[in-house]
PDB file of all heavy atoms in Angstrom:
ATOM      1  N   THR A   1       0.849  -1.195   0.000  1.00 97.00           N
ATOM      2  CA  THR A   1       0.000   0.000   0.000  1.00 97.00           C
ATOM      3  C   THR A   1       0.880   1.238   0.000  1.00 97.00           C
ATOM      4  O   THR A   1       1.762   1.378   0.857  1.00 97.00           O
ATOM      5  CB  THR A   1      -0.916   0.034   1.230  1.00 97.00           C
ATOM      6  OG1 THR A   1      -1.733  -1.147   1.251  1.00 97.00           O
ATOM      7  CG2 THR A   1      -1.817   1.266   1.186  1.00 97.00           C
ATOM      8  N   ILE A   2       0.630   2.127  -0.946  1.00 97.00           N
ATOM      9  CA  ILE A   2       1.359   3.387  -1.001  1.00 97.00           C
ATOM     10  C   ILE A   2       0.490   4.476  -0.379  1.00 97.00           C
ATOM     11  O   ILE A   2      -0.740   4.483  -0.544  1.00 97.00           O
ATOM     12  CB  ILE A   2       1.754   3.756  -2.451  1.00 97.00           C
ATOM     13  CG1 ILE A   2       2.711   4.945  -2.465  1.00 97.00           C
ATOM     14  CG2 ILE A   2       0.529   4.003  -3.316  1.00 97.00           C
ATOM     15  CD1 ILE A   2       3.329   5.212  -3.848  1.00 97.00           C
ATOM     16  N   SER A   3       1.126   5.372   0.356  1.00 97.00           N
ATOM     17  CA  SER A   3       0.414   6.494   0.951  1.00 97.00           C
ATOM     18  C   SER A   3       1.358   7.685   1.022  1.00 97.00           C
ATOM     19  O   SER A   3       2.557   7.550   0.777  1.00 97.00           O
ATOM     20  CB  SER A   3      -0.108   6.133   2.346  1.00 97.00           C
ATOM     21  OG  SER A   3       0.960   5.821   3.215  1.00 97.00           O
ATOM     22  N   ARG A   4       0.802   8.833   1.360  1.00 95.00           N
ATOM     23  CA  ARG A   4       1.641  10.034   1.397  1.00 95.00           C
ATOM     24  C   ARG A   4       1.211  10.935   2.531  1.00 95.00           C
ATOM     25  O   ARG A   4       0.066  10.888   2.994  1.00 95.00           O
ATOM     26  CB  ARG A   4       1.537  10.785   0.067  1.00 95.00           C
ATOM     27  CG  ARG A   4       0.237  11.570  -0.107  1.00 95.00           C
ATOM     28  CD  ARG A   4       0.016  12.019  -1.525  1.00 95.00           C
ATOM     29  NE  ARG A   4      -1.031  13.007  -1.644  1.00 95.00           N
ATOM     30  CZ  ARG A   4      -2.332  12.748  -1.567  1.00 95.00           C
ATOM     31  NH1 ARG A   4      -2.749  11.529  -1.312  1.00 95.00           N
ATOM     32  NH2 ARG A   4      -3.207  13.717  -1.704  1.00 95.00           N
ATOM     33  N   ASP A   5       2.141  11.763   2.970  1.00 93.00           N
ATOM     34  CA  ASP A   5       1.861  12.843   3.905  1.00 93.00           C
ATOM     35  C   ASP A   5       2.301  14.112   3.195  1.00 93.00           C
ATOM     36  O   ASP A   5       3.502  14.426   3.162  1.00 93.00           O
ATOM     37  CB  ASP A   5       2.614  12.638   5.220  1.00 93.00           C
ATOM     38  CG  ASP A   5       2.260  13.687   6.266  1.00 93.00           C
ATOM     39  OD1 ASP A   5       1.879  14.818   5.888  1.00 93.00           O
ATOM     40  OD2 ASP A   5       2.362  13.367   7.462  1.00 93.00           O
ATOM     41  N   SER A   6       1.364  14.819   2.616  1.00 89.00           N
ATOM     42  CA  SER A   6       1.700  15.992   1.816  1.00 89.00           C
ATOM     43  C   SER A   6       2.366  17.081   2.637  1.00 89.00           C
ATOM     44  O   SER A   6       3.257  17.774   2.145  1.00 89.00           O
ATOM     45  CB  SER A   6       0.434  16.538   1.150  1.00 89.00           C
ATOM     46  OG  SER A   6      -0.129  15.571   0.278  1.00 89.00           O
ATOM     47  N   ALA A   7       1.959  17.223   3.874  1.00 91.00           N
ATOM     48  CA  ALA A   7       2.540  18.262   4.735  1.00 91.00           C
ATOM     49  C   ALA A   7       4.015  18.007   4.999  1.00 91.00           C
ATOM     50  O   ALA A   7       4.789  18.936   5.216  1.00 91.00           O
ATOM     51  CB  ALA A   7       1.769  18.343   6.043  1.00 91.00           C
ATOM     52  N   LYS A   8       4.392  16.734   4.993  1.00 93.00           N
ATOM     53  CA  LYS A   8       5.783  16.368   5.263  1.00 93.00           C
ATOM     54  C   LYS A   8       6.549  16.035   3.982  1.00 93.00           C
ATOM     55  O   LYS A   8       7.713  15.640   4.042  1.00 93.00           O
ATOM     56  CB  LYS A   8       5.829  15.162   6.205  1.00 93.00           C
ATOM     57  CG  LYS A   8       5.253  15.427   7.586  1.00 93.00           C
ATOM     58  CD  LYS A   8       5.363  14.189   8.460  1.00 93.00           C
ATOM     59  CE  LYS A   8       4.816  14.452   9.855  1.00 93.00           C
ATOM     60  NZ  LYS A   8       4.905  13.244  10.723  1.00 93.00           N
ATOM     61  N   ASN A   9       5.896  16.151   2.824  1.00 93.00           N
ATOM     62  CA  ASN A   9       6.531  15.785   1.543  1.00 93.00           C
ATOM     63  C   ASN A   9       7.137  14.386   1.628  1.00 93.00           C
ATOM     64  O   ASN A   9       8.292  14.157   1.234  1.00 93.00           O
ATOM     65  CB  ASN A   9       7.601  16.805   1.157  1.00 93.00           C
ATOM     66  CG  ASN A   9       7.018  18.157   0.831  1.00 93.00           C
ATOM     67  OD1 ASN A   9       5.950  18.268   0.226  1.00 93.00           O
ATOM     68  ND2 ASN A   9       7.692  19.214   1.258  1.00 93.00           N
ATOM     69  N   THR A  10       6.361  13.478   2.152  1.00 95.00           N
ATOM     70  CA  THR A  10       6.841  12.118   2.400  1.00 95.00           C
ATOM     71  C   THR A  10       5.886  11.100   1.785  1.00 95.00           C
ATOM     72  O   THR A  10       4.662  11.273   1.852  1.00 95.00           O
ATOM     73  CB  THR A  10       6.963  11.862   3.906  1.00 95.00           C
ATOM     74  OG1 THR A  10       7.909  12.792   4.460  1.00 95.00           O
ATOM     75  CG2 THR A  10       7.455  10.452   4.187  1.00 95.00           C
ATOM     76  N   VAL A  11       6.476  10.072   1.207  1.00 97.00           N
ATOM     77  CA  VAL A  11       5.699   8.969   0.664  1.00 97.00           C
ATOM     78  C   VAL A  11       6.105   7.692   1.385  1.00 97.00           C
ATOM     79  O   VAL A  11       7.264   7.536   1.787  1.00 97.00           O
ATOM     80  CB  VAL A  11       5.900   8.840  -0.864  1.00 97.00           C
ATOM     81  CG1 VAL A  11       7.336   8.500  -1.215  1.00 97.00           C
ATOM     82  CG2 VAL A  11       4.936   7.834  -1.464  1.00 97.00           C
ATOM     83  N   TYR A  12       5.141   6.807   1.577  1.00 98.00           N
ATOM     84  CA  TYR A  12       5.370   5.564   2.305  1.00 98.00           C
ATOM     85  C   TYR A  12       4.991   4.373   1.428  1.00 98.00           C
ATOM     86  O   TYR A  12       4.163   4.487   0.522  1.00 98.00           O
ATOM     87  CB  TYR A  12       4.521   5.522   3.581  1.00 98.00           C
ATOM     88  CG  TYR A  12       4.708   6.706   4.486  1.00 98.00           C
ATOM     89  CD1 TYR A  12       3.833   7.789   4.449  1.00 98.00           C
ATOM     90  CD2 TYR A  12       5.770   6.744   5.402  1.00 98.00           C
ATOM     91  CE1 TYR A  12       4.008   8.883   5.280  1.00 98.00           C
ATOM     92  CE2 TYR A  12       5.945   7.834   6.237  1.00 98.00           C
ATOM     93  CZ  TYR A  12       5.065   8.894   6.173  1.00 98.00           C
ATOM     94  OH  TYR A  12       5.243   9.979   6.999  1.00 98.00           O
ATOM     95  N   LEU A  13       5.596   3.242   1.745  1.00 98.00           N
ATOM     96  CA  LEU A  13       5.205   1.995   1.107  1.00 98.00           C
ATOM     97  C   LEU A  13       5.112   0.935   2.193  1.00 98.00           C
ATOM     98  O   LEU A  13       6.131   0.520   2.750  1.00 98.00           O
ATOM     99  CB  LEU A  13       6.210   1.567   0.032  1.00 98.00           C
ATOM    100  CG  LEU A  13       5.808   0.334  -0.764  1.00 98.00           C
ATOM    101  CD1 LEU A  13       4.586   0.639  -1.641  1.00 98.00           C
ATOM    102  CD2 LEU A  13       6.953  -0.161  -1.649  1.00 98.00           C
ATOM    103  N   GLN A  14       3.894   0.545   2.506  1.00 98.00           N
ATOM    104  CA  GLN A  14       3.663  -0.523   3.461  1.00 98.00           C
ATOM    105  C   GLN A  14       3.666  -1.837   2.703  1.00 98.00           C
ATOM    106  O   GLN A  14       2.866  -2.032   1.794  1.00 98.00           O
ATOM    107  CB  GLN A  14       2.322  -0.341   4.171  1.00 98.00           C
ATOM    108  CG  GLN A  14       1.972  -1.446   5.141  1.00 98.00           C
ATOM    109  CD  GLN A  14       2.909  -1.492   6.334  1.00 98.00           C
ATOM    110  OE1 GLN A  14       3.253  -0.453   6.906  1.00 98.00           O
ATOM    111  NE2 GLN A  14       3.327  -2.697   6.713  1.00 98.00           N
ATOM    112  N   MET A  15       4.586  -2.719   3.077  1.00 98.00           N
ATOM    113  CA  MET A  15       4.747  -3.986   2.374  1.00 98.00           C
ATOM    114  C   MET A  15       4.408  -5.128   3.329  1.00 98.00           C
ATOM    115  O   MET A  15       5.059  -5.298   4.356  1.00 98.00           O
ATOM    116  CB  MET A  15       6.181  -4.131   1.871  1.00 98.00           C
ATOM    117  CG  MET A  15       6.640  -2.955   1.010  1.00 98.00           C
ATOM    118  SD  MET A  15       8.263  -3.211   0.263  1.00 98.00           S
ATOM    119  CE  MET A  15       9.288  -3.235   1.726  1.00 98.00           C
ATOM    120  N   ASN A  16       3.389  -5.880   2.984  1.00 97.00           N
ATOM    121  CA  ASN A  16       2.940  -7.013   3.797  1.00 97.00           C
ATOM    122  C   ASN A  16       3.097  -8.311   3.033  1.00 97.00           C
ATOM    123  O   ASN A  16       3.250  -8.312   1.804  1.00 97.00           O
ATOM    124  CB  ASN A  16       1.473  -6.813   4.196  1.00 97.00           C
ATOM    125  CG  ASN A  16       1.251  -5.569   5.031  1.00 97.00           C
ATOM    126  OD1 ASN A  16       2.106  -5.169   5.816  1.00 97.00           O
ATOM    127  ND2 ASN A  16       0.089  -4.954   4.867  1.00 97.00           N
ATOM    128  N   SER A  17       3.043  -9.403   3.759  1.00 97.00           N
ATOM    129  CA  SER A  17       3.140 -10.736   3.140  1.00 97.00           C
ATOM    130  C   SER A  17       4.318 -10.815   2.180  1.00 97.00           C
ATOM    131  O   SER A  17       4.185 -11.289   1.048  1.00 97.00           O
ATOM    132  CB  SER A  17       1.833 -11.066   2.408  1.00 97.00           C
ATOM    133  OG  SER A  17       0.727 -11.004   3.279  1.00 97.00           O
ATOM    134  N   LEU A  18       5.450 -10.370   2.652  1.00 97.00           N
ATOM    135  CA  LEU A  18       6.626 -10.307   1.795  1.00 97.00           C
ATOM    136  C   LEU A  18       7.089 -11.690   1.367  1.00 97.00           C
ATOM    137  O   LEU A  18       7.001 -12.662   2.132  1.00 97.00           O
ATOM    138  CB  LEU A  18       7.749  -9.560   2.501  1.00 97.00           C
ATOM    139  CG  LEU A  18       7.574  -8.029   2.521  1.00 97.00           C
ATOM    140  CD1 LEU A  18       8.437  -7.396   3.586  1.00 97.00           C
ATOM    141  CD2 LEU A  18       7.895  -7.457   1.156  1.00 97.00           C
ATOM    142  N   LYS A  19       7.571 -11.747   0.144  1.00 96.00           N
ATOM    143  CA  LYS A  19       8.066 -12.993  -0.444  1.00 96.00           C
ATOM    144  C   LYS A  19       9.533 -12.830  -0.818  1.00 96.00           C
ATOM    145  O   LYS A  19      10.024 -11.704  -0.961  1.00 96.00           O
ATOM    146  CB  LYS A  19       7.259 -13.329  -1.692  1.00 96.00           C
ATOM    147  CG  LYS A  19       5.747 -13.395  -1.494  1.00 96.00           C
ATOM    148  CD  LYS A  19       5.042 -13.627  -2.810  1.00 96.00           C
ATOM    149  CE  LYS A  19       3.530 -13.670  -2.644  1.00 96.00           C
ATOM    150  NZ  LYS A  19       2.838 -13.897  -3.938  1.00 96.00           N
ATOM    151  N   SER A  20      10.199 -13.937  -1.023  1.00 96.00           N
ATOM    152  CA  SER A  20      11.618 -13.866  -1.376  1.00 96.00           C
ATOM    153  C   SER A  20      11.825 -13.080  -2.677  1.00 96.00           C
ATOM    154  O   SER A  20      12.832 -12.388  -2.826  1.00 96.00           O
ATOM    155  CB  SER A  20      12.194 -15.274  -1.509  1.00 96.00           C
ATOM    156  OG  SER A  20      11.474 -16.014  -2.491  1.00 96.00           O
ATOM    157  N   GLU A  21      10.868 -13.173  -3.577  1.00 95.00           N
ATOM    158  CA  GLU A  21      11.002 -12.457  -4.847  1.00 95.00           C
ATOM    159  C   GLU A  21      10.820 -10.945  -4.716  1.00 95.00           C
ATOM    160  O   GLU A  21      11.023 -10.209  -5.677  1.00 95.00           O
ATOM    161  CB  GLU A  21      10.021 -13.002  -5.897  1.00 95.00           C
ATOM    162  CG  GLU A  21       8.585 -13.080  -5.432  1.00 95.00           C
ATOM    163  CD  GLU A  21       8.209 -14.477  -4.970  1.00 95.00           C
ATOM    164  OE1 GLU A  21       9.017 -15.103  -4.230  1.00 95.00           O
ATOM    165  OE2 GLU A  21       7.103 -14.934  -5.323  1.00 95.00           O
ATOM    166  N   ASP A  22      10.453 -10.479  -3.525  1.00 97.00           N
ATOM    167  CA  ASP A  22      10.390  -9.035  -3.279  1.00 97.00           C
ATOM    168  C   ASP A  22      11.760  -8.469  -2.908  1.00 97.00           C
ATOM    169  O   ASP A  22      11.900  -7.242  -2.778  1.00 97.00           O
ATOM    170  CB  ASP A  22       9.405  -8.733  -2.142  1.00 97.00           C
ATOM    171  CG  ASP A  22       7.968  -9.070  -2.511  1.00 97.00           C
ATOM    172  OD1 ASP A  22       7.563  -8.797  -3.645  1.00 97.00           O
ATOM    173  OD2 ASP A  22       7.258  -9.617  -1.637  1.00 97.00           O
ATOM    174  N   THR A  23      12.735  -9.330  -2.740  1.00 97.00           N
ATOM    175  CA  THR A  23      14.087  -8.880  -2.438  1.00 97.00           C
ATOM    176  C   THR A  23      14.609  -8.008  -3.561  1.00 97.00           C
ATOM    177  O   THR A  23      14.621  -8.410  -4.724  1.00 97.00           O
ATOM    178  CB  THR A  23      15.021 -10.087  -2.241  1.00 97.00           C
ATOM    179  OG1 THR A  23      14.604 -10.814  -1.078  1.00 97.00           O
ATOM    180  CG2 THR A  23      16.460  -9.629  -2.056  1.00 97.00           C
ATOM    181  N   ALA A  24      15.017  -6.785  -3.221  1.00 97.00           N
ATOM    182  CA  ALA A  24      15.460  -5.819  -4.225  1.00 97.00           C
ATOM    183  C   ALA A  24      15.928  -4.555  -3.520  1.00 97.00           C
ATOM    184  O   ALA A  24      15.748  -4.399  -2.306  1.00 97.00           O
ATOM    185  CB  ALA A  24      14.317  -5.474  -5.181  1.00 97.00           C
ATOM    186  N   VAL A  25      16.502  -3.669  -4.300  1.00 98.00           N
ATOM    187  CA  VAL A  25      16.743  -2.310  -3.825  1.00 98.00           C
ATOM    188  C   VAL A  25      15.539  -1.478  -4.264  1.00 98.00           C
ATOM    189  O   VAL A  25      15.176  -1.474  -5.445  1.00 98.00           O
ATOM    190  CB  VAL A  25      18.036  -1.719  -4.393  1.00 98.00           C
ATOM    191  CG1 VAL A  25      18.213  -0.274  -3.919  1.00 98.00           C
ATOM    192  CG2 VAL A  25      19.232  -2.565  -3.967  1.00 98.00           C
ATOM    193  N   TYR A  26      14.943  -0.809  -3.301  1.00 98.00           N
ATOM    194  CA  TYR A  26      13.741  -0.020  -3.565  1.00 98.00           C
ATOM    195  C   TYR A  26      14.120   1.459  -3.643  1.00 98.00           C
ATOM    196  O   TYR A  26      14.815   1.980  -2.764  1.00 98.00           O
ATOM    197  CB  TYR A  26      12.711  -0.249  -2.468  1.00 98.00           C
ATOM    198  CG  TYR A  26      12.015  -1.589  -2.602  1.00 98.00           C
ATOM    199  CD1 TYR A  26      12.692  -2.768  -2.317  1.00 98.00           C
ATOM    200  CD2 TYR A  26      10.701  -1.676  -3.040  1.00 98.00           C
ATOM    201  CE1 TYR A  26      12.076  -4.015  -2.456  1.00 98.00           C
ATOM    202  CE2 TYR A  26      10.070  -2.905  -3.185  1.00 98.00           C
ATOM    203  CZ  TYR A  26      10.763  -4.064  -2.894  1.00 98.00           C
ATOM    204  OH  TYR A  26      10.150  -5.282  -3.049  1.00 98.00           O
ATOM    205  N   TYR A  27      13.649   2.104  -4.687  1.00 98.00           N
ATOM    206  CA  TYR A  27      13.932   3.509  -4.924  1.00 98.00           C
ATOM    207  C   TYR A  27      12.637   4.312  -4.909  1.00 98.00           C
ATOM    208  O   TYR A  27      11.628   3.890  -5.482  1.00 98.00           O
ATOM    209  CB  TYR A  27      14.602   3.706  -6.284  1.00 98.00           C
ATOM    210  CG  TYR A  27      15.933   3.031  -6.439  1.00 98.00           C
ATOM    211  CD1 TYR A  27      16.038   1.725  -6.902  1.00 98.00           C
ATOM    212  CD2 TYR A  27      17.116   3.713  -6.129  1.00 98.00           C
ATOM    213  CE1 TYR A  27      17.260   1.108  -7.055  1.00 98.00           C
ATOM    214  CE2 TYR A  27      18.355   3.096  -6.280  1.00 98.00           C
ATOM    215  CZ  TYR A  27      18.411   1.806  -6.734  1.00 98.00           C
ATOM    216  OH  TYR A  27      19.643   1.200  -6.875  1.00 98.00           O
ATOM    217  N   CYS A  28      12.693   5.491  -4.293  1.00 97.00           N
ATOM    218  CA  CYS A  28      11.546   6.381  -4.380  1.00 97.00           C
ATOM    219  C   CYS A  28      11.831   7.423  -5.462  1.00 97.00           C
ATOM    220  O   CYS A  28      12.980   7.715  -5.777  1.00 97.00           O
ATOM    221  CB  CYS A  28      11.271   7.064  -3.049  1.00 97.00           C
ATOM    222  SG  CYS A  28      12.649   8.005  -2.370  1.00 97.00           S
ATOM    223  N   SER A  29      10.764   7.958  -5.992  1.00 97.00           N
ATOM    224  CA  SER A  29      10.874   8.963  -7.036  1.00 97.00           C
ATOM    225  C   SER A  29       9.747   9.964  -6.896  1.00 97.00           C
ATOM    226  O   SER A  29       8.603   9.595  -6.637  1.00 97.00           O
ATOM    227  CB  SER A  29      10.803   8.296  -8.416  1.00 97.00           C
ATOM    228  OG  SER A  29      10.886   9.258  -9.444  1.00 97.00           O
ATOM    229  N   PHE A  30      10.097  11.218  -7.055  1.00 96.00           N
ATOM    230  CA  PHE A  30       9.111  12.293  -7.031  1.00 96.00           C
ATOM    231  C   PHE A  30       9.110  12.990  -8.397  1.00 96.00           C
ATOM    232  O   PHE A  30      10.179  13.281  -8.948  1.00 96.00           O
ATOM    233  CB  PHE A  30       9.461  13.349  -5.977  1.00 96.00           C
ATOM    234  CG  PHE A  30       9.076  12.994  -4.581  1.00 96.00           C
ATOM    235  CD1 PHE A  30       9.258  11.722  -4.072  1.00 96.00           C
ATOM    236  CD2 PHE A  30       8.547  13.962  -3.737  1.00 96.00           C
ATOM    237  CE1 PHE A  30       8.913  11.399  -2.767  1.00 96.00           C
ATOM    238  CE2 PHE A  30       8.195  13.649  -2.427  1.00 96.00           C
ATOM    239  CZ  PHE A  30       8.380  12.378  -1.944  1.00 96.00           C
ATOM    240  N   HIS A  31       7.927  13.245  -8.906  1.00 94.00           N
ATOM    241  CA  HIS A  31       7.778  14.040 -10.119  1.00 94.00           C
ATOM    242  C   HIS A  31       7.341  15.435  -9.667  1.00 94.00           C
ATOM    243  O   HIS A  31       6.210  15.622  -9.221  1.00 94.00           O
ATOM    244  CB  HIS A  31       6.739  13.412 -11.044  1.00 94.00           C
ATOM    245  CG  HIS A  31       6.520  14.167 -12.304  1.00 94.00           C
ATOM    246  ND1 HIS A  31       5.399  14.003 -13.086  1.00 94.00           N
ATOM    247  CD2 HIS A  31       7.293  15.072 -12.940  1.00 94.00           C
ATOM    248  CE1 HIS A  31       5.472  14.784 -14.132  1.00 94.00           C
ATOM    249  NE2 HIS A  31       6.620  15.441 -14.071  1.00 94.00           N
ATOM    250  N   ILE A  32       8.272  16.374  -9.760  1.00 90.00           N
ATOM    251  CA  ILE A  32       8.033  17.734  -9.277  1.00 90.00           C
ATOM    252  C   ILE A  32       8.206  18.689 -10.445  1.00 90.00           C
ATOM    253  O   ILE A  32       9.295  18.759 -11.035  1.00 90.00           O
ATOM    254  CB  ILE A  32       9.014  18.105  -8.157  1.00 90.00           C
ATOM    255  CG1 ILE A  32       8.864  17.124  -6.979  1.00 90.00           C
ATOM    256  CG2 ILE A  32       8.770  19.543  -7.690  1.00 90.00           C
ATOM    257  CD1 ILE A  32       9.897  17.325  -5.886  1.00 90.00           C
ATOM    258  N   GLY A  33       7.138  19.403 -10.773  1.00 87.00           N
ATOM    259  CA  GLY A  33       7.194  20.284 -11.932  1.00 87.00           C
ATOM    260  C   GLY A  33       7.426  19.465 -13.189  1.00 87.00           C
ATOM    261  O   GLY A  33       6.653  18.566 -13.505  1.00 87.00           O
ATOM    262  N   THR A  34       8.533  19.744 -13.865  1.00 90.00           N
ATOM    263  CA  THR A  34       8.869  19.000 -15.088  1.00 90.00           C
ATOM    264  C   THR A  34      10.045  18.054 -14.873  1.00 90.00           C
ATOM    265  O   THR A  34      10.599  17.516 -15.834  1.00 90.00           O
ATOM    266  CB  THR A  34       9.212  19.978 -16.224  1.00 90.00           C
ATOM    267  OG1 THR A  34      10.308  20.789 -15.818  1.00 90.00           O
ATOM    268  CG2 THR A  34       8.022  20.866 -16.565  1.00 90.00           C
ATOM    269  N   SER A  35      10.434  17.853 -13.615  1.00 92.00           N
ATOM    270  CA  SER A  35      11.626  17.038 -13.326  1.00 92.00           C
ATOM    271  C   SER A  35      11.279  15.828 -12.464  1.00 92.00           C
ATOM    272  O   SER A  35      10.302  15.844 -11.721  1.00 92.00           O
ATOM    273  CB  SER A  35      12.671  17.886 -12.595  1.00 92.00           C
ATOM    274  OG  SER A  35      13.072  18.990 -13.377  1.00 92.00           O
ATOM    275  N   TYR A  36      12.111  14.801 -12.597  1.00 94.00           N
ATOM    276  CA  TYR A  36      12.010  13.602 -11.768  1.00 94.00           C
ATOM    277  C   TYR A  36      13.224  13.536 -10.855  1.00 94.00           C
ATOM    278  O   TYR A  36      14.355  13.746 -11.302  1.00 94.00           O
ATOM    279  CB  TYR A  36      11.936  12.349 -12.633  1.00 94.00           C
ATOM    280  CG  TYR A  36      10.625  12.199 -13.376  1.00 94.00           C
ATOM    281  CD1 TYR A  36      10.430  12.817 -14.609  1.00 94.00           C
ATOM    282  CD2 TYR A  36       9.582  11.461 -12.837  1.00 94.00           C
ATOM    283  CE1 TYR A  36       9.229  12.691 -15.278  1.00 94.00           C
ATOM    284  CE2 TYR A  36       8.377  11.325 -13.512  1.00 94.00           C
ATOM    285  CZ  TYR A  36       8.207  11.946 -14.730  1.00 94.00           C
ATOM    286  OH  TYR A  36       7.015  11.828 -15.394  1.00 94.00           O
ATOM    287  N   TYR A  37      12.978  13.197  -9.620  1.00 95.00           N
ATOM    288  CA  TYR A  37      14.046  13.078  -8.631  1.00 95.00           C
ATOM    289  C   TYR A  37      14.007  11.686  -8.028  1.00 95.00           C
ATOM    290  O   TYR A  37      12.934  11.104  -7.845  1.00 95.00           O
ATOM    291  CB  TYR A  37      13.877  14.134  -7.530  1.00 95.00           C
ATOM    292  CG  TYR A  37      13.926  15.549  -8.052  1.00 95.00           C
ATOM    293  CD1 TYR A  37      12.768  16.197  -8.477  1.00 95.00           C
ATOM    294  CD2 TYR A  37      15.133  16.253  -8.128  1.00 95.00           C
ATOM    295  CE1 TYR A  37      12.804  17.488  -8.963  1.00 95.00           C
ATOM    296  CE2 TYR A  37      15.173  17.551  -8.608  1.00 95.00           C
ATOM    297  CZ  TYR A  37      14.005  18.156  -9.035  1.00 95.00           C
ATOM    298  OH  TYR A  37      14.053  19.443  -9.515  1.00 95.00           O
ATOM    299  N   TRP A  38      15.196  11.181  -7.699  1.00 96.00           N
ATOM    300  CA  TRP A  38      15.311   9.815  -7.180  1.00 96.00           C
ATOM    301  C   TRP A  38      16.019   9.793  -5.835  1.00 96.00           C
ATOM    302  O   TRP A  38      16.975  10.547  -5.625  1.00 96.00           O
ATOM    303  CB  TRP A  38      16.096   8.950  -8.160  1.00 96.00           C
ATOM    304  CG  TRP A  38      15.370   8.712  -9.432  1.00 96.00           C
ATOM    305  CD1 TRP A  38      15.381   9.493 -10.558  1.00 96.00           C
ATOM    306  CD2 TRP A  38      14.492   7.617  -9.729  1.00 96.00           C
ATOM    307  NE1 TRP A  38      14.567   8.953 -11.523  1.00 96.00           N
ATOM    308  CE2 TRP A  38      14.013   7.805 -11.048  1.00 96.00           C
ATOM    309  CE3 TRP A  38      14.056   6.499  -9.016  1.00 96.00           C
ATOM    310  CZ2 TRP A  38      13.131   6.912 -11.661  1.00 96.00           C
ATOM    311  CZ3 TRP A  38      13.182   5.606  -9.615  1.00 96.00           C
ATOM    312  CH2 TRP A  38      12.731   5.819 -10.932  1.00 96.00           C
ATOM    313  N   GLY A  39      15.555   8.895  -4.975  1.00 95.00           N
ATOM    314  CA  GLY A  39      16.249   8.660  -3.725  1.00 95.00           C
ATOM    315  C   GLY A  39      17.420   7.727  -3.950  1.00 95.00           C
ATOM    316  O   GLY A  39      17.624   7.190  -5.045  1.00 95.00           O
ATOM    317  N   GLN A  40      18.169   7.466  -2.886  1.00 93.00           N
ATOM    318  CA  GLN A  40      19.401   6.698  -2.998  1.00 93.00           C
ATOM    319  C   GLN A  40      19.166   5.199  -2.994  1.00 93.00           C
ATOM    320  O   GLN A  40      20.075   4.438  -3.289  1.00 93.00           O
ATOM    321  CB  GLN A  40      20.356   7.059  -1.843  1.00 93.00           C
ATOM    322  CG  GLN A  40      20.101   6.342  -0.525  1.00 93.00           C
ATOM    323  CD  GLN A  40      18.897   6.877   0.232  1.00 93.00           C
ATOM    324  OE1 GLN A  40      18.123   7.703  -0.247  1.00 93.00           O
ATOM    325  NE2 GLN A  40      18.747   6.398   1.460  1.00 93.00           N
ATOM    326  N   GLY A  41      17.957   4.772  -2.688  1.00 93.00           N
ATOM    327  CA  GLY A  41      17.666   3.348  -2.644  1.00 93.00           C
ATOM    328  C   GLY A  41      17.806   2.789  -1.244  1.00 93.00           C
ATOM    329  O   GLY A  41      18.722   3.160  -0.502  1.00 93.00           O
TER     330      GLY A  41
END
C-alpha cells in the first residue's frame, strides 16, 4: 500500500506478506514540476 503525507513531503510503502522475490533495492521517485528526482535506494 502506497500512501503520502503531503505536509511532510513524504511517501510511504507498506509492504505485507513479503516474499523472497520481493528482495530488491527499492527507490523512491518524485515528479516535481517537469523534473524527476530519485532517492538513494
Side-chain angles (χ1 to χ4, degrees):
T1 302
I2 190 170
S3 62
R4 76 194 193 285
D5 185 333
S6 298
K8 296 181 179 180
N9 293 322
T10 299
V11 64
Y12 306 97
L13 185 68
Q14 177 66 43
M15 305 187 294
N16 299 327
S17 303
L18 283 161
K19 306 176 181 180
S20 58
E21 51 262 44
D22 294 319
T23 295
V25 177
Y26 284 72
Y27 298 89
C28 57
S29 179
F30 279 42
H31 180 199
I32 301 174
T34 59
S35 300
Y36 289 86
Y37 299 89
W38 292 88
Q40 83 285 8

